[in-house]
Amino acid sequence: MSTATSTLTDAAVDITGLTVRFESKRSQTTAVTDVSLRVEPGEFVTIVGPSGCGKSTLLKVVAGLVPPTSGTVSLLGRPVRRPQQDIGFVFQRPALLDWRSVRKNILLQAEMRGLDRSVAARRADELIALTGLTGFEKALPHELSGGMQQRVALCRALLHQPPVLLMDEPFGALDALTREQLNTELNRIWRDTGTTVLLVTHSIAEAVFLGTRVEVMSPRPGRIVRTFPVDIPPERDYAQIMSDERFDRLATQIRGLLGAGANH
Amino acid sequence: MPQRAADQSAGPATDDQPGTIPPVAELPPVAASAGNPGARGGTPPAARLVRLLEALWRPALLLAALFAGWWFVAEREYMPNYLLPTPGQVWATMTEDWSFLMRNTYVTLYETVIGFILAALLGLGTAVLIVYSRTLEKAVYPIVLFAQVIPKIAIAPLLVAWFGVGLTPKIVLAVLIAFFPVVISGVAGLRSTDPELLDLSATMGAGPWRTFRRIRFPNSLPHLMSGLKVAVTLAVVGAVVGEFVGAKEGLGYVLLVANGNLDAALLFADLFLMSLIGIVLFAVVEVAEALLIPWHASRRGGVPLTTS
Ligand SMILES: Nc1ncnc2c1ncn2[C@@H]1O[C@H](COP(=O)(O)OP(=O)(O)O)[C@@H](O)[C@H]1O
Ligand SMILES: [Mg+2]
């Protein structure tokens, strides 16, 4: 659960000089190198980069799932040393439990944390309504489309009202239409909850649509090559934004930076 | 074994075939909730019966043909009846010696079931040790493998020498034979957990026990159940082999007696009962599987015999 130990001056996420190297017997991979990134509470920071540039690794380091090789990482003002609990995590694949209904998949979060059942149940129902899953509470994951499954994963990540939400290409496997729809929903949820979001994507459009700030990463070993503040008001709408020339300009700039490697 | 054939005959309410996945529309979610997933939880009984019949007629036909062939050959005495009894003779023995046969069936069934249960528990425990501890894996795996490659039939006399002619050596043999598939399938099942789920579990602050109980163990069930199906049929073999080597009761013992007396009808009746034990126990595990993992793909589409 969110704790009150962080003060207003603490960044939600603070990364300085982060390098991550994976060593195996035969090879050595530097996934990210010298990344510094500060995310203020309430921000929605998106990271775009070609695949394999270390985006997932970066998120896992913030979550405390992968240790940094060098550099420091802190979450809500506390150094990250072990798996962090003040976060919600959404992966590219929904990673649902096949044997649990939609509602029970969402409530897994509460069971694993030992949260109060009735509070969690009420919160789950709110989230189900918020994400348009009403009527599917009892459905099993295999009965849902990819978009619906990802909505469930999102609800699960939000159940405990985490101060920070980490999302690793959450809509990367969905078709364009579903993706836009979920982007719109995510934008609304972010505005409603005030959660800090750090979202990784390889879609430029998605990065600009969602972010208050876009960080562009280079190919492996990944480093942040440029930061683009998105000076478009937080309430976003696809139809509007697509014809917004600020959006166009940003997207073009980012595309130029990334070269032909990225899509959309 | 009965195959639930690829079911083209699925009833109208099945929403669980691959390819028909999106009954649930993306756009707009509110309208989509009219499509009713609450109606799932099964095919109507009539459709299920049709599906069952559809699955059964082929094996039934084959069995009937074999039976007719047997009847014909035995009745015409193309083979002498002391080698191949007629179905009538077998039936007569079955009814005359019914209580004798049932008593011995019970003994073998008891050995098999106890052996199977012990093998399942020990096998799952070993699988957990192997999956959770690298050190234990290195220590335990070679022993498990070694225990598997010893021909169990060869150590049966030793077991009888150690444990006498009672039930113990048969149960031990059943355990030894049935243990291996449980370990292998348990390890495969527990290892098949999505690493992202384990990451997720770590960020939920859940300890190893919660992770095991809520994620790893249920996730391993499809693998584990196919291992248990193999194990239960092997447990029968273990019990019967144990009885061959030294016993005063049980179907294996009866088989030896019948063989010694050139009583082919008794021998056949005995073989039927042995197979029946295997089939019934297999079916019990199948039912358990259907109850435990109705959500699994292997249970939705049919094809019960494949490892998941
Ligand atoms: N656990 C790991 N062990 C070894 N190499 C890894 C591991 N995780 C990621 N990598 C490597 O690090 C690089 C970056 O991976 P990743 O962070 O997944 O990139 P992205 O998410 O941007 O596609 C890749 O070359 C990948 O092979
Ligand atoms: Mg990735």
Side-chain angles (χ1 to χ4, degrees):
Chain A
M1 296 266 47
S2 74
T3 46
T5 50
S6 59
T7 66
L8 279 176
T9 54
D10 282 330
V13 176
D14 197 355
I15 302 171
T16 28
L18 174 71
T19 296
V20 181
R21 241 189 314 275
F22 293 108
E23 313 218 2
S24 68
K25 280 189 197 111
R26 279 175 296 117
S27 68
Q28 195 189 43
T29 315
T30 305
V32 294
T33 183
D34 196 25
V35 166
S36 296
L37 176 67
R38 195 180 152 97
V39 182
E40 302 302 334
E43 268 195 297
F44 196 132
V45 173
T46 53
I47 301 175
V48 246
S51 74
C53 76
K55 303 184 296 295
S56 299
T57 304
L58 189 62
L59 285 192
K60 283 189 178 168
V61 170
V62 174
L65 297 166
V66 167
T69 308
S70 64
T72 58
V73 180
S74 62
L75 183 77
L76 305 164
R78 290 183 308 268
V80 170
R81 296 225 174 75
R82 60 178 67 83
Q84 297 296 299
Q85 294 177 40
D86 285 343
I87 55 166
F89 211 133
V90 182
F91 302 98
Q92 175 165 2
R93 288 178 306 120
L96 302 176
L97 301 180
D98 296 335
W99 55 93
R100 285 183 166 231
S101 67
V102 164
R103 196 158 182 278
K104 291 203 146 182
N105 258 296
I106 297 172
L107 286 170
L108 178 77
Q109 184 77 261
E111 288 172 31
M112 299 294 261
R113 288 170 186 267
L115 303 182
D116 182 87
R117 270 164 185 249
S118 60
V119 174
R122 218 172 314 127
R123 170 95 180 129
D125 292 333
E126 277 168 30
L127 287 167
I128 285 169
L130 189 69
T131 51
L133 285 167
T134 309
F136 296 98
E137 293 89 342
K138 291 205 172 71
L140 290 175
H142 78 264
E143 297 169 307
L144 302 179
S145 62
M148 290 303 238
Q149 292 182 2
Q150 205 54 296
R151 286 189 171 96
V152 179
L154 181 60
C155 289
R156 180 180 61 192
L158 290 170
L159 187 80
H160 53 301
Q161 297 181 288
V164 176
L165 184 60
L166 303 177
M167 306 183 84
D168 189 355
E169 304 193 31
F171 312 129
L174 306 178
D175 61 276
L177 223 56
T178 309
R179 188 173 189 154
E180 285 182 10
Q181 203 189 358
L182 280 166
N183 279 340
T184 309
E185 280 176 31
L186 180 60
N187 175 262
R188 195 187 68 227
I189 289 168
W190 165 66
R191 284 184 285 109
D192 288 355
T193 57
T195 306
T196 311
V197 185
L198 186 54
L199 178 142
V200 150
T201 177
H202 58 252
S203 155
I204 295 167
E206 184 170 88
V208 178
F209 177 81
L210 288 169
T212 51
R213 175 149 63 94
V214 180
E215 303 282 352
V216 180
M217 281 179 82
S218 69
R220 199 181 66 224
R223 61 174 79 238
I224 289 175
V225 288
R226 228 176 123 179
T227 301
F228 294 91
V230 182
D231 56 349
I232 302 174
E235 185 169 353
R236 314 247 171 114
D237 175 270
Y238 254 98
Q240 252 173 31
I241 214 168
M242 283 308 198
S243 54
D244 193 314
E245 52 102 20
R246 286 172 297 186
F247 175 87
D248 258 358
R249 213 175 39 234
L250 266 176
T252 311
Q253 271 181 297
I254 295 171
R255 186 164 293 113
L257 210 55
L258 284 170
N263 50 28
H264 303 299
Chain B
M1 291 279 66
Q3 302 243 357
R4 213 161 300 123
D7 52 350
Q8 303 93 334
S9 71
T14 43
D15 47 8
D16 45 16
Q17 278 154 312
T20 58
I21 292 162
V24 173
E26 287 298 346
L27 293 165
V30 189
S33 51
N36 178 13
R40 74 201 172 75
T43 349
R48 221 185 286 178
L49 189 68
V50 169
R51 212 194 293 184
L52 186 71
L53 290 178
E54 187 125 10
L56 281 182
W57 73 266
R58 268 169 279 240
L61 195 70
L62 184 63
L63 263 182
L66 283 174
F67 187 80
W70 168 31
W71 194 307
F72 185 73
V73 171
E75 210 62 69
R76 290 286 191 97
E77 297 206 43
Y78 290 126
M79 270 174 88
N81 279 149
Y82 72 87
L83 290 180
L84 187 69
T86 65
Q89 290 166 336
V90 174
W91 179 249
T93 304
M94 196 73 106
T95 46
E96 279 162 30
D97 296 338
W98 181 248
S99 67
F100 167 75
L101 283 170
M102 277 305 105
R103 206 166 56 242
N104 287 288
T105 303
Y106 174 75
V107 171
T108 304
L109 181 67
Y110 179 83
E111 294 159 356
T112 305
V113 169
I114 300 292
F116 169 68
I117 291 174
L118 289 177
L121 293 175
L122 282 173
L124 183 60
T126 308
V128 170
L129 290 183
I130 286 174
V131 169
Y132 274 83
S133 160
R134 283 240 154 241
T135 334
L136 278 176
E137 174 184 1
K138 284 185 185 134
V140 170
Y141 223 94
I143 297 174
V144 171
L145 200 66
F146 182 64
Q148 172 61 10
V149 295
I150 300 176
K152 249 65 72 189
I153 297 170
I155 57 168
L158 191 64
L159 292 176
V160 172
W162 284 353
F163 300 110
V165 290
L167 297 181
T168 317
K170 288 87 179 173
I171 293 173
V172 171
L173 209 58
V175 171
L176 282 177
I177 292 191
F179 174 72
F180 193 67
V182 182
V183 176
I184 296 299
S185 61
V187 168
L190 291 170
R191 286 232 169 104
S192 74
T193 315
D194 185 345
E196 289 181 344
L197 274 173
L198 297 179
D199 277 350
L200 206 60
S201 168
T203 67
M204 291 172 173
W209 169 243
R210 268 188 193 167
T211 308
F212 178 79
R213 203 174 99 73
R214 302 212 197 271
I215 299 177
R216 285 197 105 137
F217 180 67
N219 184 72
S220 77
L221 280 175
H223 279 97
L224 189 64
M225 292 312 292
S226 31
L228 288 179
K229 281 192 259 181
V230 176
V232 81
T233 55
L234 289 179
V236 187
V237 176
V240 169
V241 167
E243 290 167 356
F244 276 176
V245 176
K248 292 193 291 274
E249 51 184 354
L251 292 178
Y253 163 77
V254 172
L255 196 82
L256 287 187
V257 171
N259 207 32
N261 297 342
L262 291 182
D263 186 348
L266 180 61
L267 197 143
F268 267 64
D270 192 79
L271 282 175
F272 276 125
L273 291 170
M274 280 180 190
S275 324
L276 197 65
I277 291 182
I279 291 172
V280 167
L281 291 179
F282 186 90
V284 168
V285 180
E286 274 265 317
V287 170
E289 184 186 36
L291 293 176
L292 280 171
I293 52 168
W295 45 270
H296 191 252
S298 71
R299 283 275 134 211
R300 289 182 244 136
V303 203
L305 289 182
T306 48
T307 16
S308 37

